[in-house]
Amino acid sequence: MSVIQVQRKPLSLAERTYIPQILSGMKTTMKHIVAKPVTVNYPEERPEIPPGYRGVPTLVRDPHGREKCVSCQLCEFVCPPKAIRITPGEIPADSPNAHVEKGPKEFEINMLRCIYCGLCQEVCPEEAIWLQNVYSSSGYTRAEMVNNKQKLYELGGTLPDTHLKWDKKKAAAEKH
Amino acid sequence: MIDFYFSLPDIVRYIIQGIAVICFLFPVGAACSMAERKVAAWAQDRPGPNRARPWLLARIPIIGPILGYFGIFNLMADGGKLLFREDITPGHVNKFYFVMAPIVAMTPALSTIVFVPFGAYLDSAGQILPVMLANVDIGILGVFALASLSVYSLILAGWASNSKYPFLGAIRASAQLISYELSMTLAVVPVLLWINAPGTTGSLSLVRVVEFQSQPGFWGGMWFVFIMPVSAFIFLITIFAETNRQPFDMPESEADLVGGYHTEYGSYKWSLFFVAEYCQMIVGSGIFILLFLGGWNPLPWIPLADLVNWLHDLLHWQWLLHPIFVGLLSIGIFVTKVLIFIFIFMWVRWTLPRFRYDQVMRIGWQRLLPLSIANLVVYIIAIALLQK
């Protein structure tokens, strides 16, 4: 492609007086003065959280109330700021979920370290850890900012999935 | 009540009037700072300061939330904060001039209002009498004389602060104010030439200017902004420059000079500079309105007297012609115009960036001054031909 010479026109008289530019600028400002604010009055009004928002990481249960985490610790290993600490534990043999073999005895996410990258959610083979719509966490001490297992399930709730991988595995094992 | 007031000795009356005007001007000047923050917020699509809600006052139905929404309680909290905060005087300053500068800033800002007629009433003969503190012939000259003193406060503040940024700010400020004062004075000369027609007694009074804009007929009722648009334009720009408003915010220019001449100031002394700037804006826009926008006349070609007589013919209420009602009406019209003007000041501030220093100087000396001189020459010739 050949070179296109851009014509640099000298400023016209109207442009050199700045007046039309100033007036058009004032028109723009007036549009914003009469427009509704784009901000919200925060604690009273809350912003609408779009789907797919990556808020505070939480743990979820499946529709039968079983905790989905099997304590494989992949999230703990992948977590870049090392915010996650899992203490794995056995599931007692008399539990209805005994076939799952393992579950977290304690699961802590330090929200002072978490960078909300979502790698834990991405790496989780059980879809047990989810970054959901909680975006505001506060506390008076460092200890309060560490979400323990109970808190994580409170925040997480239930994941309405239908494939129930472990139930199918159990059924398949019983058939043989 | 009124008779008792007029039976008081003159000096007492003048003091009462003066204090009344200051009691209006000072809080309005302070309230402008909140208006500025609200307008800034609206221009930036935010609600602005609206959170301060004192427990008892905010409980008042309707009024409380409205006051809260417009940030009135924030304003009070601000004022209290500035009043009671520790007043630091840095060790390296010249204490005498450092303390004097805000006083020197405040004095001309409040005293120029003396020459500004802010309303009018009709006496029993139907003659318009101005509401003002001192109806003297020097009028606009007195305003210019006093307003030009405000440059001393900037120089004193900058010099007494004894550090680089305030000093640079003060130098810029004085250069800017002196440059634009020339064009400002030359811009209003055509108006004064026009009102001092041959055969009349000479006067520089602003009352005369408004009277000239409230005459009957097409040319008589026309505001000077239509007859002398260039003068009005130059005067408007120079008011922006004289009151150090954006885009002529040279002395302060917080980006390159931290805070300009008041960098070293804090708490109440700083707030005096702030209020003085707004008082200057109020007086400056008041003078613009008196000179070019018909003063207390509601609309072009509709003088105040016509409006009052028309209302009286329509409603037949006797109190409509009462001096107090007419006075309050005219003051209301004038203050409304001034507030609209203050809004325009803020509107421009949140639209335009600051000029560079060399641009300010170039506009002042190479554009406005020749323009105002040419304007003056044209009008001198036109007035000489029209009024011979």
Side-chain angles (χ1 to χ4, degrees):
Chain A
M1 215 173 134
S2 62
V3 176
I4 299 174
Q5 285 283 328
V6 179
Q7 288 295 320
R8 286 179 191 269
K9 282 184 223 147
L11 297 177
S12 68
L13 182 68
E15 281 168 336
R16 269 184 292 152
T17 59
Y18 307 129
I19 309 287
Q21 282 73 28
I22 288 173
L23 291 180
S24 75
M26 286 173 75
K27 204 175 100 191
T28 308
T29 319
M30 185 41 89
K31 263 186 216 153
H32 285 277
I33 286 175
V34 294
K36 263 179 69 132
V38 293
T39 55
V40 293
N41 286 313
Y42 171 61
E44 294 96 31
E45 295 168 27
R46 298 287 174 136
E48 205 171 296
I49 302 300
Y53 183 83
R54 292 205 306 221
V56 172
T58 60
L59 291 178
V60 293
R61 295 175 187 276
D62 77 354
H64 295 174
R66 183 187 66 83
E67 53 181 7
K68 287 177 75 83
C69 177
V70 295
S71 181
C72 68
Q73 291 176 294
L74 278 178
C75 52
E76 186 176 355
F77 292 127
V78 81
C79 182
K82 301 194 191 306
I84 301 175
R85 167 132 324 161
I86 302 170
T87 316
E90 295 281 326
I91 295 179
D94 55 345
S95 159
N97 298 323
H99 57 288
V100 186
E101 295 170 13
K102 241 170 86 177
K105 202 162 91 191
E106 188 46 80
F107 199 116
E108 283 175 346
I109 303 183
N110 187 344
M111 290 319 296
L112 296 170
R113 298 194 71 110
C114 177
I115 57 170
Y116 299 84
C117 62
L119 282 182
C120 48
Q121 175 183 344
E122 207 165 305
V123 81
C124 184
E126 298 288 325
E127 300 187 328
I129 186 161
W130 287 84
L131 273 67
Q132 295 193 42
N133 59 2
V134 182
Y135 53 86
S136 158
S137 52
S138 57
Y140 289 105
T141 58
R142 280 164 186 277
E144 265 177 76
M145 295 304 290
V146 180
N147 289 339
N148 59 15
K149 190 172 135 182
Q150 188 201 347
K151 180 90 186 290
L152 288 169
Y153 278 116
E154 262 170 40
L155 291 172
T158 303
L159 183 76
D161 65 341
T162 47
H163 48 80
L164 300 169
K165 166 181 153 192
W166 285 97
D167 287 4
K168 281 177 196 158
K169 271 195 171 178
K170 190 183 179 190
E174 277 165 4
K175 221 183 222 177
H176 284 289
Chain B
M1 184 70 194
I2 294 173
D3 293 336
F4 168 73
Y5 179 69
F6 279 105
S7 69
L8 288 170
D10 279 354
I11 182 82
V12 178
R13 274 200 300 137
Y14 294 153
I15 288 171
I16 292 175
Q17 285 170 356
I19 288 173
V21 168
I22 287 174
C23 284
F24 178 77
L25 192 60
F26 195 93
V28 169
C32 280
S33 67
M34 180 49 63
E36 179 102 83
R37 286 171 67 187
K38 285 304 262 195
V39 172
W42 290 333
Q44 294 162 0
D45 290 338
R46 351 177 233 119
N50 62 355
R51 304 320 291 263
R53 302 270 164 100
W55 188 75
L56 266 178
L57 289 170
R59 288 283 183 96
I60 305 167
I62 305 167
I63 303 168
I66 289 176
L67 289 181
Y69 176 76
F70 284 104
I72 305 295
F73 301 126
N74 285 69
L75 173 66
M76 293 174 183
D78 260 5
K81 176 195 76 178
L82 287 169
L83 197 55
F84 293 115
R85 198 183 244 179
E86 185 187 357
D87 194 1
I88 293 169
T89 307
H92 55 76
V93 301
N94 182 323
K95 289 216 173 45
F96 179 71
Y97 291 116
F98 188 78
V99 175
M100 201 164 104
I103 301 168
V104 175
M106 224 36 230
T107 315
L110 289 179
S111 49
T112 39
I113 194 80
V114 166
F115 302 105
V116 178
F118 33 80
Y121 60 95
L122 304 165
D123 68 1
S124 50
Q127 193 74 23
I128 287 255
L129 292 173
V131 181
M132 64 191 298
L133 292 178
N135 190 4
V136 286
D137 272 349
I138 57 165
I140 184 101
L141 200 58
V143 174
F144 285 156
L146 277 176
S148 62
L149 290 179
S150 66
V151 70
Y152 283 108
S153 77
L154 309 189
I155 296 173
L156 280 180
W159 182 77
S161 292
N162 191 17
S163 68
K164 276 179 231 164
Y165 292 127
F167 189 63
L168 286 171
I171 287 178
R172 284 186 184 187
S174 43
Q176 177 186 316
L177 292 192
I178 290 164
S179 313
Y180 281 77
E181 225 148 63
L182 277 171
S183 319
M184 185 183 220
T185 321
L186 289 175
V188 297
V189 170
V191 176
L192 299 168
L193 284 175
W194 180 251
I195 64 161
N196 285 297
T200 56
T201 49
S203 170
L204 296 176
S205 166
L206 289 161
V207 183
R208 177 83 77 86
V209 182
V210 180
E211 275 170 7
F212 249 77
Q213 296 176 73
S214 28
Q215 290 170 17
F218 179 73
W219 287 104
M222 191 180 256
W223 290 353
F224 282 131
V225 70
F226 301 122
I227 301 177
M228 300 168 185
V230 180
S231 290
F233 174 68
I234 296 169
F235 193 69
L236 182 66
I237 294 178
T238 49
I239 294 179
F240 274 89
E242 290 290 307
T243 52
N244 301 327
R245 290 294 294 182
Q246 232 96 331
F248 297 97
D249 195 11
M250 269 305 105
E252 204 173 321
S253 46
E254 66 274 9
D256 41 344
L257 289 187
V258 189
Y261 62 93
H262 57 47
T263 306
E264 305 285 350
Y265 283 85
S267 74
Y268 200 62
K269 288 210 273 295
W270 174 81
S271 69
L272 281 181
F273 280 119
F274 210 60
V275 174
E277 187 186 310
Y278 283 112
C279 290
Q280 276 174 356
M281 266 166 65
I282 293 169
V283 174
S285 43
I287 287 165
F288 184 84
I289 286 159
L290 290 164
L291 283 175
F292 297 106
L293 291 176
W296 50 78
N297 295 321
L299 285 171
W301 299 290
I302 304 176
L304 178 71
D306 283 11
L307 176 76
V308 173
N309 288 330
W310 178 75
L311 275 177
H312 184 248
D313 289 345
L314 196 72
L315 300 166
H316 296 292
W317 292 337
Q318 201 50 50
W319 53 265
L320 281 175
L321 289 176
H322 195 277
I324 289 183
F325 173 76
V326 180
L328 287 179
L329 179 72
S330 60
I331 292 174
I333 292 169
F334 184 70
V335 169
T336 311
K337 282 186 187 177
V338 169
L339 292 182
I340 292 172
F341 229 82
I342 300 281
F343 173 74
I344 293 173
F345 271 106
M346 291 167 185
W347 183 12
V348 169
R349 170 167 184 181
W350 297 105
T351 304
L352 296 181
R354 188 173 15 250
F355 283 131
R356 242 174 21 235
Y357 183 59
D358 61 314
Q359 289 173 324
V360 169
M361 285 296 118
R362 202 186 312 137
I363 293 169
W365 290 103
Q366 293 188 350
R367 303 280 184 276
L368 283 185
L369 190 60
L371 186 64
S372 54
I373 291 172
N375 175 57
L376 178 61
V377 170
V378 168
Y379 276 102
I380 284 175
I381 295 167
I383 289 167
L385 291 174
L386 282 169
Q387 291 185 341
K388 65 170 171 237

